[in-house]
Amino acid sequence: MKIAIEEINNSTTLLPGIRLGYDIYDTCMEPVVTLQPSLLFLSRAGTNSIGILCNYTDYQTRVTAVIGPHDSMLSSVTAKLFGFFLIPQISYGATMEALNNEELYPSFLRTVPSDKRQLEAMVQLLQAFKWNWIAVIGSNDEYGRGGLSLLSSMVASKQICIAFEGLIPADVSNPSLQVKMRQTIQSINESKVNVIVLFASDRPVRAFFKLCLELKLSQKVWLATEAWVMSDVVTSVDKIQAIGTVIGFVIKGGTVPGFEEYVYRLLELTQEDGFCNTSQEEVDKMDSDVLGPQCWQCNYISRRNITAVLKHRQTYAVYTAVYSVAHALHNLLCSQRGTTHPQPPFPSIQLLDKLKDVHFNISNQLHHFEDYGSINLGYEVIGWRWQDSGIEHITLGNFNTKLNLNTSLVQFHTEDGKAPISECLTTCQAGQIRRMKGFHLCCYDCIDCEKGTYCSSPEDTTCTACPTEQWSPGRSTRCYDRSEKYLFWSEPLAIILVALLIFAVTLTCLSGSLFLRSLHTPVVQAAGGAMCLVGLLCLALMCLSCGLYIGKPSPTVCLLQQPSFALCLNPCFSTITAKALQIMLVNDFASSRRGFLHNLIQRRPWAIVALCFLGESALCLGYIYVNPSTPGKNYKLLATQVLIQCRIKSWAAFAIMHGNNSLLAFTSFLCTFMVQTSPKKYNIARSITFAMLTYFIALIFFIPTYATVGLEYQPAVQVSAMLLCATGLLAAYYLPKCYILRFKPDWNTRFYGGQQIKGCLQRWTYSEGTH
């Protein structure tokens, strides 16, 4: 400050004819101490008292402008006071964001950027090293609390979580200092973070680091603010190297031309005999309320112990603050008098207006106060490097809206020298989503997406359900098209059923050929004659209709499945029913009076077959036109496939259609199961009874199995039931006759079968007109 004022007073272009004076006071980092000179600055010009007025428009204060203080907390105290009188106050180190409030601090300016810019740089630094699990500690004052609040709001949208946020006393003489700091260190250990942002001034930081070393806190990465990263107060702590890695930010500054030579020249003057005498004479002229206690350390100042101070980055900020006032004052005086040799007084608000608009050049670098009254030159990223002689500050990069960092220059405390990991979250793998754990947005578990859902992006927080026509396995990143599922011709189950079908059809055809060749023999004629051929033909067609249940269902196939089975089975049952009715008449109603039913059953069995078939045809047509089966797709049953099957819309119509055949089977059973003959003789009634029993066994097997088995197996169950029914009819009714025709021709006589064959043959010959 002193060199800047001397340069201005000796300048012939800046404020020529005007000589600037100054008072310098030590704040002692105490608000009460700071207020004492501040009140003196507000006193009326030429006096030591503050006037009590209703209107301060023309009030002339003792000083024109105030430079400092450096500390944000102290600046917030004085800025309200100076703002009432609108005296310009330019701080060279107060970075607190709250000082941007023009309503509370209308006359406050600063030659450094606000903490918001510094925290923007800090957030980018955290992102550069992928640190998203941090602790934040601030001093319990406006500077620390404001910094913590601002940082918390900034990292929330950057997926950076604060594991612990604590305050330490700003007053190192606070009796509870040790207790509160111990609690903070314990919380840091519990949070298991490796990166800590320390937002405080140098004295609280010094006390905190000393306690950390005493408690042997494990080494961490400490992110420092400009308030303490360059402070000798902190670096002078014993064994400070054990604290870990320190990375911080300092405000960029220029070089004060001739500053070192100026200071060294002052030191040489102190060695002269007249220096002390002259200084004492100046002291005697000062009032006791202005002069503080003598600084005994000043007696031992030398080049060696002030070198670090000369290189301090804030020297340029002080230099700039003084020149900003000088240029604003120059512009004000020129605009008022139209000459470069005017004399004050003038209202403070006029100087304040000029300061906010001033543009000035220092060493070919243009400066001006941006929005909210700050001069922003950007930041340098500083790291501590441990040397034998102490700590060396090395430049790691810079920041001015964007961070430029040379990470290879950072010497981390880790064994491999690499950046430690400080993250709560882990990187989820493909097909996993994040599920927040606790209340921290950065802490989550990785959850696998379930089957039928997928996760296409690592940032997704929920699994997306696949469309109906698609599927996905667990932990999938995409969906796949479903394959079609039905009873394929090539699958093993279908091959087995086709083999059984071929066997049944072959057996039926062989039986039919044997019956055709022996059509006029007594056994064939007693069994029904030509009606047996019709029954075997329909039985073969019923077996072939099983093929409608294999392969991909189509609308036509679904339409024909159930009616084809019912219509093919109906002639088989109706021919057997006609024969069962004849047997019933011979055995139970032989002596009864002959009526219409007698003549119909005995002479017109084909009419019974025709009536039964027509009735079944009517039921099938009603089923087709009222509630036809149609192919449907089932996406819910199978995980990876779509089941295509024929849907039965009306189970009532289905039951009526097939119930007619069941009624015929039950009628045949009732007509024959009570007929008794010698077991040594061939019995047609017994074969009909067993044939109907096989049908009912197949029906009993089919109904519960069809109802309980999986939908994908229902076609196979129905085919199995149809083949079981067909082979049962063959085995119980037709094959015994084939056995007689092929292996027992001596049984194929008119008299071997007893009364049943005789009666049947008589009815047959009578109906044919040969009786």
Side-chain angles (χ1 to χ4, degrees), residues 638-690:
L638 303 175
T640 63
Q641 296 173 305
V642 50
L643 178 63
I644 303 177
Q645 60 182 169
C646 296
R647 292 178 178 174
I648 298 175
K649 295 183 178 180
S650 174
W651 287 99
F654 175 86
I656 292 172
M657 179 176 62
H658 290 288
N660 183 50
N661 289 330
S662 299
L663 182 61
L664 292 177
F666 188 66
T667 301
S668 301
F669 179 79
L670 289 178
C671 291
T672 58
F673 87 102
M674 293 297 291
V675 175
Q676 296 182 0
T677 58
S678 173
K680 293 183 179 180
K681 295 184 178 181
Y682 172 68
N683 193 336
I684 296 177
R686 185 167 54 194
S687 63
I688 292 175
T689 302
F690 280 109

Side-chain angles (χ1 to χ4, degrees), residues 54-130:
C54 295
N55 187 351
Y56 286 91
T57 304
D58 298 325
Y59 185 79
Q60 296 297 319
T61 56
R62 185 169 180 270
V63 300
T64 303
V66 178
I67 306 298
H70 161 263
D71 184 74
S72 293
M73 182 185 65
L74 300 180
S75 293
S76 66
V77 174
T78 58
K80 289 183 180 180
L81 190 63
F82 295 136
F84 181 77
F85 291 87
L86 295 178
I87 296 178
Q89 177 185 358
I90 302 96
S91 174
Y92 52 88
T95 58
M96 189 169 65
E97 177 68 14
L99 293 170
N100 285 342
N101 191 333
E102 290 186 344
E103 293 184 1
L104 294 178
Y105 313 105
S107 65
F108 179 81
L109 301 168
R110 51 189 164 194
T111 54
V112 292
S114 71
D115 285 331
K116 185 176 182 181
R117 296 295 183 91
Q118 182 178 203
L119 292 179
E120 287 175 356
M122 194 171 291
V123 170
Q124 291 189 25
L125 177 67
L126 292 170
Q127 291 178 318
F129 288 104
K130 298 181 180 180

Side-chain angles (χ1 to χ4, degrees), residues 585 589-590 592-603:
L585 288 179
F589 301 97
S592 62
R593 181 178 173 272
R594 298 180 181 274
F596 173 75
L597 289 177
H598 283 73
N599 293 329
L600 179 64
I601 294 171
Q602 292 177 356
R603 297 184 179 183

Side-chain angles (χ1 to χ4, degrees), residues 117-267:
R117 296 295 183 91
Q118 182 178 203
L119 292 179
E120 287 175 356
M122 194 171 291
V123 170
Q124 291 189 25
L125 177 67
L126 292 170
Q127 291 178 318
F129 288 104
K130 298 181 180 180
W131 292 326
N132 49 34
W133 185 239
I134 63 172
V136 181
I137 301 171
S139 53
N140 194 9
D141 53 19
E142 289 192 39
Y143 174 71
R145 291 192 299 270
L148 263 63
S149 177
L150 184 59
L151 180 62
S152 298
S153 62
M154 292 176 66
V155 300
S157 60
K158 304 296 183 181
Q159 293 186 341
I160 298 173
C161 285
I162 298 176
F164 170 74
E165 184 175 318
L167 293 172
I168 57 176
D171 183 6
V172 294
S173 62
N174 192 318
S176 61
L177 178 71
Q178 293 287 324
V179 176
K180 292 184 178 180
M181 286 188 175
R182 283 178 183 272
Q183 293 174 349
T184 301
I185 295 171
Q186 182 180 358
S187 299
I188 292 173
N189 274 327
E190 292 175 354
S191 64
K192 298 179 180 179
V193 297
N194 289 322
V195 177
I196 303 172
V197 179
L198 192 49
F199 212 95
S201 55
D202 51 3
R203 285 175 175 79
V205 172
R206 175 187 173 88
F208 183 73
F209 277 171
K210 288 179 69 176
L211 187 58
C212 288
L213 294 173
E214 288 178 14
L215 298 178
K216 297 181 179 181
L217 178 68
S218 59
Q219 291 184 318
K220 309 288 183 181
V221 175
W222 301 88
L223 299 187
T225 62
E226 49 79 30
W228 65 269
V229 68
M230 298 283 290
S231 174
D232 294 336
V233 173
V234 178
T235 57
S236 61
V237 174
D238 188 32
K239 298 180 181 180
I240 188 64
Q241 296 88 343
I243 205 68
T245 304
V246 177
I247 302 175
F249 299 87
V250 293
I251 300 165
K252 279 186 177 180
T255 301
V256 178
F259 182 52
E260 291 189 12
E261 293 78 6
Y262 175 80
V263 174
Y264 294 154
R265 189 166 61 252
L266 288 178
L267 287 177

